Amino acid sequence: MVDIDAVRDWLGRLPGGSLVGRYVDGWDAFEKLDRPVVTLFGSYDTGKSSLLRRLLVDSGGDVPGWLTISARHETFEVNDAEVGGCIIRDTPGFAVGASDIRAQSNSRRAMAAVGLTDVGIAVLTPQLATAERDVLQKLFMQGWPVGTMWFVISRFDEAGVDPEYDLAEYRELSDRKVRELRELFELDDRVPVFVVSQDPFQTAGPDTHLSRETWDDFRGWDGMRDLADAVEAVSPSALPGWRHSAEQRYWTAVLDEAVTELRRQLSDYTARAEVAASGVARRDVWERELDTLDRAAQASLDGLVEEVMRRSWEPSSGANELQAEIQRTLDEWFTKHEVRLQRLQQSIRKTKERERARPSWAGFASLVATLGSGEDAYTTPAGPGGVAEHVETVGTMLIGMLKAANNTPGQIASGKAGSAKAARDLGRPIGIAEAALPLAVYLAKVVDEQGTERARQNHDKVAAEKRQQVVTECTQRARDTWQPFIDDVREAIVAETRDQVDLDARLRQLVEQLQEALAEGESLFRAGTVLLLETEA
């Protein structure tokens, strides 16, 4: 007993956009039907299509082209046929626990069709419900008026007793199966249960061009007369009460499916938000570590250049000796800080590899690829309006909501960072000789120039200023040599975490919105439970 107006209002305020119009369209189309709708539902290969074929042929109707009979899974859409004064709906078989997309889609369509019907007929094999028991139990608990939920134990000629040879045992087995079914689902005597053999011994097989006479030899025991009479007795006069109950079932199912989908989306986006947040945190850590490393390198560089220059002003120092000393000193400086920079690069690489090996990364990478591709993450299956066919659009709306924001991140392909340069820079060695030699040559040239002047210069203020000027210039040259390597690592850090940082704020906001929407949807369920208890009291 849900507050339908409140459910509609809630659907209109879901994150990313409104779903209420889609659901209202589905309900309105059903409500306009002026004849009772009877829906066959059940697992794959329980005989729903062959049952409908038999009802059509026995009533003198034509078998539509979409109705196919085979041992394979042939029904993929919800289709309608007219039998007497009713609309009979054939649904795809639902597959409990199926992992393939087609089976999941079939299950959703079947469940949605049951939400828009006046009379539901659960079709089971003689083995009765096994894996689908919980699904059927959930459907039976959705508030069906007395006499509007039926059961058909189908294909009973395959139950193990041949009625042509032992009709009494066949009927005894039939009665026992009916008792087992009532016990299985705790059904009282008001719930109609039919035992039928709609195509005994596969007499008709897959044929659809048939006449009533096809099954004349079996009418004494096949059970189809009772079922056909029950369908014939379904009266439009009961529609107002049935439609009121169907409306409650429909919007309760809408709420249930939407809440279930929101839970799934919240779980997915919470995991993605955690991946994004971890990228933001790592960027901060890596950049602080790089800044610390850079400051330490530059601080030691200041003293190093000044010491080398001081020696160059001593008369006892020869040019060759000074150049060798300069080369050795710069090699030591670059080697020391190269090791620290390489350690940071290795840490970044290993962290990246560990992160991309986690299951959560696949979901985040898929989201980024979807946002960068211009395509929707989900597609809504075609078919008549229902409940579960629309909840997939929750995911589509959320993707659209993220796309509408600025700073759409780049793509992540095959679990690798979007920037090839970032990966290249993270693995690139500094190259001591390449970096230090040009600086050493420059300092050696300065030393040579000083050698011709220092004999004429006194240790006065002018000389000190000259030395300081050279030290400052040389230090800047060394910094200019060092800086590109710092910049490369910083660029790699930014590129490595760009997708996560770009999405962090939006994902946090989306998770908050999903949490709020889910909490409100769950509160509507709780309010409906209280209302139902009060009504029963």
Side-chain angles (χ1 to χ4, degrees):
M1 296 287 291
V2 298
D3 184 335
I4 295 175
D5 290 336
V7 172
R8 290 184 176 187
D9 176 65
W10 174 72
L11 288 169
R13 295 181 287 103
L14 289 178
S18 172
L19 281 181
V20 66
R22 295 173 179 265
Y23 290 120
V24 168
D25 290 345
W27 171 255
D28 287 348
F30 170 71
E31 192 176 31
K32 291 175 182 177
L33 297 174
D34 58 359
R35 285 175 293 172
V37 176
V38 178
T39 300
L40 304 172
F41 65 93
S43 295
Y44 151 69
D45 200 28
T46 55
K48 298 183 297 298
S49 296
S50 63
L51 185 64
L52 176 56
R53 178 186 64 178
R54 176 69 183 274
L55 290 170
L56 284 167
V57 173
D58 279 357
S59 66
D62 295 327
V63 179
W66 51 260
L67 201 158
T68 56
I69 313 294
S70 81
R72 299 188 303 274
H73 201 161
E74 293 285 357
T75 303
F76 305 112
E77 302 289 343
V78 176
N79 292 297
D80 295 350
E82 296 182 13
V83 176
C86 296
I87 298 172
I88 308 291
R89 282 185 170 163
D90 189 24
T91 63
F94 50 76
V96 178
S99 57
D100 61 289
I101 295 176
R102 169 171 281 186
Q104 291 176 353
S105 177
N106 288 344
S107 296
R108 286 194 297 269
R109 294 181 185 184
M111 297 293 281
V114 178
L116 292 172
T117 193
D118 299 305
V119 176
I121 302 181
V123 183
L124 299 87
T125 63
Q127 290 74 36
L128 306 183
T130 52
E132 70 272 24
R133 180 182 181 278
D134 291 341
V135 176
L136 293 174
Q137 187 71 53
K138 182 178 179 180
L139 285 174
F140 305 156
M141 298 297 291
Q142 291 182 357
W144 297 82
V146 174
T148 61
M149 173 58 75
W150 304 357
F151 288 81
V152 170
I153 303 177
S154 169
R155 294 163 43 189
F156 209 71
D157 55 304
E158 303 172 14
V161 177
D162 189 339
E164 298 282 293
Y165 290 95
D166 195 337
L167 183 58
E169 185 177 353
Y170 177 86
R171 287 175 174 166
E172 181 182 344
L173 178 60
S174 171
D175 292 340
R176 187 167 71 249
K177 284 294 181 178
V178 170
R179 290 195 300 271
E180 289 178 9
L181 179 64
R182 292 190 185 280
E183 290 174 2
L184 181 64
F185 293 108
E186 300 179 352
L187 307 176
D188 60 34
D189 292 338
R190 297 175 297 174
V191 177
V193 179
F194 303 92
V195 179
V196 304
S197 298
Q198 63 267 46
D199 185 26
F201 315 118
Q202 298 187 12
T203 300
D207 293 343
T208 55
H209 299 288
L210 303 164
S211 65
R212 279 187 97 261
E213 290 73 23
T214 304
W215 299 285
D216 280 351
D217 292 341
F218 316 112
R219 295 186 184 279
W221 55 265
D222 65 12
M224 286 300 300
R225 180 69 266 167
D226 291 341
L227 178 59
D229 288 346
V231 172
E232 187 71 24
V234 173
S235 173
S237 64
L239 276 184
W242 290 353
R243 291 288 160 87
H244 175 73
S245 297
E247 185 178 27
Q248 268 293 324
R249 285 199 309 274
Y250 176 75
W251 289 104
T252 299
V254 165
L255 179 59
D256 181 35
E257 293 289 346
V259 165
T260 299
E261 177 65 8
L262 283 179
R263 288 195 186 107
R264 188 180 73 82
Q265 295 291 345
L266 177 59
S267 176
D268 289 347
Y269 279 99
T270 297
R272 294 164 181 174
E274 289 172 353
V275 172
S278 68
V280 173
R282 279 198 306 278
R283 176 184 286 191
D284 291 341
V285 170
W286 288 338
E287 286 190 329
R288 285 199 301 270
E289 187 173 347
L290 181 62
D291 290 339
T292 300
L293 190 156
D294 186 31
R295 286 194 298 270
Q298 296 209 36
S300 64
L301 181 64
D302 291 343
L304 180 147
V305 174
E306 189 167 2
E307 175 63 20
V308 171
M309 295 306 299
R310 184 188 64 77
R311 294 180 187 178
S312 71
W313 288 85
E314 294 177 359
S316 60
S317 300
N320 291 337
E321 179 183 348
L322 281 173
Q323 185 166 348
E325 178 67 12
I326 290 170
Q327 184 69 55
R328 183 189 65 78
T329 303
L330 288 176
D331 282 354
E332 289 179 353
W333 181 82
F334 268 101
T335 299
K336 176 181 178 181
H337 296 289
E338 178 198 31
V339 169
R340 295 178 178 178
L341 202 58
Q342 288 289 359
R343 285 174 182 169
L344 176 58
Q345 291 174 317
Q346 291 171 5
S347 174
I348 295 172
R349 283 199 303 273
K350 289 179 179 179
T351 301
K352 177 191 69 175
E353 291 168 0
R354 286 195 301 269
E355 181 176 54
R356 280 152 178 71
R358 295 184 183 128
S360 58
W361 178 259
F364 182 81
S366 174
L367 173 64
V368 174
T370 299
L371 293 177
S373 69
E375 300 176 356
D376 290 339
Y378 307 93
T379 57
T380 304
V387 177
E389 293 186 9
H390 296 315
V391 296
E392 289 184 339
T393 59
V394 174
T396 305
M397 291 192 309
L398 298 180
I399 291 294
M401 182 178 178
L402 291 173
K403 283 186 174 182
N406 295 326
N407 303 319
T408 299
Q411 295 186 46
I412 293 181
S414 302
K416 298 180 180 180
S419 171
K421 187 178 186 302
R424 183 174 69 248
D425 289 341
L426 282 174
R428 189 183 79 174
I430 288 180
I432 297 173
E434 177 188 356
L437 184 58
L439 183 57
V441 171
Y442 168 75
L443 289 178
K445 180 181 178 182
V446 172
V447 169
D448 288 341
E449 291 175 353
Q450 291 174 1
T452 61
E453 296 180 6
R454 59 186 173 181
R456 300 193 304 268
Q457 292 180 359
N458 299 319
H459 295 284
D460 55 14
K461 183 177 180 180
V462 174
E465 290 177 352
K466 176 63 175 177
R467 283 198 304 274
Q468 187 57 48
Q469 179 182 350
V470 173
V471 166
T472 300
E473 185 175 351
C474 290
T475 300
Q476 188 58 50
R477 286 280 187 126
R479 285 175 177 167
D480 291 344
T481 303
W482 168 254
Q483 191 61 45
F485 299 101
I486 293 292
D487 291 342
D488 283 348
V489 176
R490 191 180 306 280
E491 183 181 347
I493 291 172
V494 170
E496 179 60 34
T497 58
R498 178 175 291 115
D499 295 315
Q500 291 156 289
V501 172
D502 285 349
L503 277 174
D504 177 59
R506 281 177 284 162
L507 286 177
R508 280 189 285 109
Q509 182 183 28
L510 180 54
V511 166
E512 291 175 0
Q513 292 174 324
L514 287 172
Q515 288 172 335
E516 293 174 0
L518 180 57
E520 186 176 351
E522 290 173 338
S523 71
L524 291 173
F525 260 127
R526 289 192 295 271
T529 302
V530 172
L531 177 60
L532 178 60
L533 292 174
E534 291 176 348
T535 302
E536 291 176 344

